[in-house]
Amino acid sequence: MIYGDKIWEKLFASKEWGKYPPEEVIRYYFFVSNQLGEKNIKALDIGSGKGACSWFLKKGCAEVTAFEGAPAGLKSTNKVALEFNVKDKIFLLHGDITEPKNYINSKFDLLLDNYALYSNEENKIKRALVEYYDLTAQSGFFLMNCFGEKTTGFGSGKQLSDNTWIDISNGIMKERGIVTWFTKKSLFDIFQKIGFSISYYENILIERNQNIIEKHSICLKK
């Protein structure tokens, strides 16, 4: 069973994928670990892909769950972790990341969505975020990384809803299936309605080979 856009199963199966977490994930981890102190951190990596963030989290967290809808990504997670000398097993959870409470009934101190939820339709993302709020431990943290409307390719392809498109014709999202784009305001509105407080927000603009990439990185606390 493949959950989510099937393009990701094809991509994970057909090519080597990144094995290192991005800088925004590293900053988030150290921010949260400093806030939580010596506590045994329980972490959830949402849309974990091949485990680029899962192994990094496992280095400092007592327990890590890698939650992924594409089997081709999930089956590589512990193999990638071993390459970084992470020998303790990461718990693998196969399922639909937009319906987490169908698979999870425990709470986490640290939750991470590293450019995963955005690849779903916006109404599914909003419902999922409410469920992830429920799965966040009291005083726990949640990071959502996603893409903004300044990114090259925004507005191209077929529009599925107000902020969701498919078959983007150019830029880094070309041949990446479904994309929901966000603005700072839309993210703040979503999370404030859910009940999260905003610990920090980053807006990252990158120009790569004449393409613009806008990233939103928003750290939240319950």
Side-chain angles (χ1 to χ4, degrees):
M1 177 70 72
I2 300 170
Y3 297 98
D5 195 320
K6 291 180 173 54
I7 188 66
W8 292 102
E9 175 71 7
K10 179 180 178 181
L11 290 170
F12 290 142
S14 64
K15 62 180 290 187
E16 187 69 21
W17 208 255
K19 295 181 180 180
Y20 296 89
E23 291 182 14
E24 48 268 38
V25 170
I26 296 170
R27 284 194 294 272
Y28 169 64
Y29 167 73
F30 284 108
F31 173 81
V32 172
S33 61
N34 286 334
Q35 295 291 312
L36 296 178
E38 297 300 320
K39 180 178 179 178
N40 289 330
I41 298 172
K42 186 177 179 182
L44 178 65
D45 186 3
I46 302 161
S48 53
K50 288 193 169 185
C53 295
S54 293
W55 73 260
F56 172 76
L57 293 175
K58 187 61 182 173
K59 286 278 192 179
C61 296
E63 179 182 323
V64 175
T65 297
F67 185 25
E68 172 61 51
L74 203 61
K75 72 180 183 180
S76 298
T77 300
N78 280 306
K79 179 182 177 182
V80 170
L82 281 173
E83 294 181 25
F84 294 94
N85 203 32
V86 178
K87 298 178 181 179
D88 291 337
K89 292 294 185 182
I90 295 164
F91 180 71
L92 308 181
L93 181 59
H94 179 223
D96 186 345
I97 65 171
T98 67
E99 297 181 342
K101 291 178 75 173
N102 285 349
Y103 309 89
I104 304 169
N105 57 16
S106 57
K107 294 184 183 293
F108 298 86
D109 307 296
L110 182 158
L111 295 89
L112 169 65
D113 164 30
N114 183 47
Y115 306 102
L117 282 172
Y118 85 90
S119 62
N120 293 277
E121 294 182 48
E122 61 184 307
N123 60 338
K124 290 185 178 182
I125 297 172
K126 290 177 181 178
R127 288 198 301 267
L129 290 172
V130 173
E131 294 193 17
Y132 284 117
Y133 177 84
D134 292 341
L135 296 174
T136 305
Q138 194 61 43
S139 299
F141 292 86
F142 181 98
L143 182 76
M144 183 175 184
N145 289 335
C146 55
F147 295 100
E149 295 181 357
K150 295 177 184 176
T151 303
T152 301
F154 170 72
S156 66
K158 178 182 178 182
Q159 189 170 14
L160 301 180
S161 62
D162 287 347
N163 300 296
T164 304
W165 301 70
I166 193 170
D167 298 331
I168 308 302
S169 63
N170 58 96
I172 64 163
M173 291 299 138
K174 184 179 180 181
E175 299 178 351
R176 290 292 185 269
I178 295 172
V179 177
T180 294
W181 311 90
F182 294 90
T183 64
K184 177 181 177 180
K185 183 180 185 304
S186 67
L187 288 170
F188 276 48
D189 287 347
I190 289 168
F191 287 118
Q192 287 171 344
K193 287 177 182 177
I194 291 172
F196 278 112
S197 63
I198 298 166
S199 293
Y200 68 79
Y201 164 80
E202 298 175 347
N203 183 233
I204 304 165
L205 284 175
I206 300 168
E207 183 175 354
R208 182 184 300 158
N209 297 329
Q210 299 182 326
N211 288 317
I212 300 297
I213 306 165
E214 181 186 24
K215 298 179 176 183
H216 299 293
S217 186
I218 183 166
C219 174
L220 307 139
K221 184 177 181 181
K222 185 171 181 180

